[in-house]
């Protein structure tokens, strides 16, 4: 089965076509270069307003690193279009496989971040012939995406605790969702002061705080004071 066929099965983009696959020398090593081209009469997407817009001109070919195939570093090559958007002016198009000026594809960042949950970042970099920095940026991208898309509604129970992370009484305040059958980390703040826990409730919003039915915390006075003030409708520290 051709690589192009596989890509169209698992990594297909509606407005783009995989044109060719070549084994070439790049940075002193053999890599797979996969050329991507837009479909005929396909409009580019303005990176400012995300609306379809006719192309204005083309820039030099860009190289986007993709998931390794059979041990070969793999790249998507694409000649970016500029658009003359009636709303945003001249912009470089937005492509579905990458974000902004990032040289890593979204799929590759998801791949590295997945393995970074199972191995150290150094081991991930060595295993997949990449750099620690690329692993770091991949994890950063996935965490940022998750924070932007997570839902904080309908949380009924939270737990508040502190953890020591350095000698000399250095603490972090951590807040978890602890609803039955659903536990996750919600927030981390520096120190364990009244200001810290107020910052959590400011982030969590007043309307969500009023929906809380249970708040589990130790008897640290700054925590108890703020919980009683901001989550006293139903919560019980």
């Amino acid at each position: 089965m051709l690589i192009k066929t596989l890509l169209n099965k698992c990594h297909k983009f509606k407005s783009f076509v995989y044109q060719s696959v070549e084994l070439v020398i790049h940075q002193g090593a053999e890599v797979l270069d996969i050329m991507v081209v837009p479909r005929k009469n396909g409009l580019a997407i303005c990176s400012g307003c995300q609306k379809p817009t006719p192309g204005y001109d083309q820039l030099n070919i860009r190289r986007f690193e993709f998931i390794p195939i059979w041990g070969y570093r793999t790249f998507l090559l694409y000649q970016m279009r500029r658009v003359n958007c009636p709303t945003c002016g001249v912009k470089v198009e937005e492509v579905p496989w990458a974000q902004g000026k990032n040289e890593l594809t979204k799929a590759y960042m998801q791949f590295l971040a997945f393995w970074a949950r199972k191995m150290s970042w150094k081991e991930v970099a060595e295993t997949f012939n990449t750099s620690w920095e690329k692993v770091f940026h991949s994890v950063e991208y996935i965490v940022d995406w998750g924070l932007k898309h997570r839902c904080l509604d309908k949380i009924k129970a939270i737990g508040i605790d502190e953890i020591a992370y350095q000698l000399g009484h250095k603490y972090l305040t951590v807040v978890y969702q602890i609803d039955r059958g659903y536990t996750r980390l919600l927030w981390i703040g520096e120190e364990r002061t009244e200001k810290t826990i107020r910052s959590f409730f400011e982030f969590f919003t007043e309307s969500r705080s009023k929906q809380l039915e249970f708040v589990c915390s130790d008897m640290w006075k700054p925590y108890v004071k703020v919980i009683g003030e901001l989550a006293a409708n139903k919560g019980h520290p």
Side-chain angles (χ1 to χ4, degrees):
M1 184 179 289
L2 295 175
I3 292 176
K4 288 194 295 182
T5 304
L6 287 171
L7 288 171
N8 280 318
K9 286 286 186 180
C10 65
H11 201 251
K12 186 176 182 179
F13 299 112
K14 181 179 179 181
S15 300
F16 299 88
V17 175
Y18 295 107
Q19 185 181 60
S20 62
V21 180
E22 292 184 284
L23 187 62
V24 302
I25 301 297
H26 174 66
Q27 296 178 339
E30 287 186 316
V31 303
L32 284 172
D33 276 357
I34 301 170
M35 182 62 69
V36 181
V37 296
R39 292 188 182 275
K40 291 182 178 179
N41 302 320
L43 296 177
I45 301 298
C46 173
S47 58
C49 62
Q50 285 75 51
K51 293 181 179 178
T53 312
Y56 173 70
D57 63 6
Q58 288 183 303
L59 303 175
N60 293 330
I61 291 176
R62 278 182 60 185
R63 193 177 273 276
F64 302 88
E65 191 161 4
F66 189 62
I67 300 170
I69 297 178
W70 300 313
Y72 289 103
R73 290 180 69 195
T74 302
F75 297 86
L76 303 184
L77 274 59
Y78 180 69
Q79 191 168 11
M80 302 289 289
R81 294 172 289 180
R82 290 198 301 175
V83 300
N84 192 4
C85 177
T87 303
C88 307
V90 177
K91 293 279 187 180
V92 177
E93 71 176 308
E94 180 178 283
V95 293
W97 58 82
Q99 184 179 53
K101 296 182 179 180
N102 203 318
E103 296 178 353
L104 307 182
T105 59
K106 294 176 183 178
Y108 188 43
M109 288 190 288
Q110 292 169 2
F111 177 84
L112 292 176
F114 170 82
W115 284 105
R117 295 172 58 190
K118 300 178 179 295
M119 301 187 291
S120 73
W121 294 1
K122 181 180 179 182
E123 288 175 315
V124 175
E126 291 174 349
T127 300
F128 298 109
N129 193 27
T130 189
S131 67
W132 185 94
E133 288 77 14
K134 289 180 180 179
V135 179
F136 167 78
H137 289 306
S138 297
V139 173
E140 184 179 46
Y141 164 77
I142 294 299
V143 170
D144 183 62
W145 188 94
L147 290 175
K148 289 178 179 177
H149 291 82
R150 68 176 174 173
C151 179
L152 298 176
D153 297 331
K154 299 182 180 179
I155 295 175
K156 300 298 182 182
I158 62 171
I160 302 172
D161 200 1
E162 77 266 358
I163 57 172
Y165 68 96
Q166 281 184 356
L167 296 176
H169 301 288
K170 296 290 185 179
Y171 293 95
L172 297 173
T173 294
V174 292
V175 183
Y176 298 89
Q177 178 181 358
I178 53 172
D179 285 300
R180 185 183 296 275
Y182 199 95
T183 302
R184 58 174 170 164
L185 177 65
L186 294 177
W187 188 86
I188 300 176
E190 292 185 5
E191 303 298 339
R192 53 173 182 167
T193 64
E194 182 179 327
K195 181 180 178 181
T196 304
I197 196 63
R198 284 188 184 278
S199 295
F200 163 72
F201 281 105
E202 181 180 341
F203 150 80
F204 195 59
T205 72
E206 181 180 355
S207 60
R208 294 193 184 104
S209 298
K210 288 181 177 179
Q211 294 177 3
L212 291 173
E213 296 179 0
F214 303 97
V215 179
C216 179
S217 173
D218 62 23
M219 296 306 293
W220 181 243
K221 287 184 179 180
Y223 291 171
V224 173
K225 177 183 177 182
V226 177
I227 292 168
E229 178 184 338
L230 301 179
N233 292 321
K234 294 181 180 179
H236 302 281

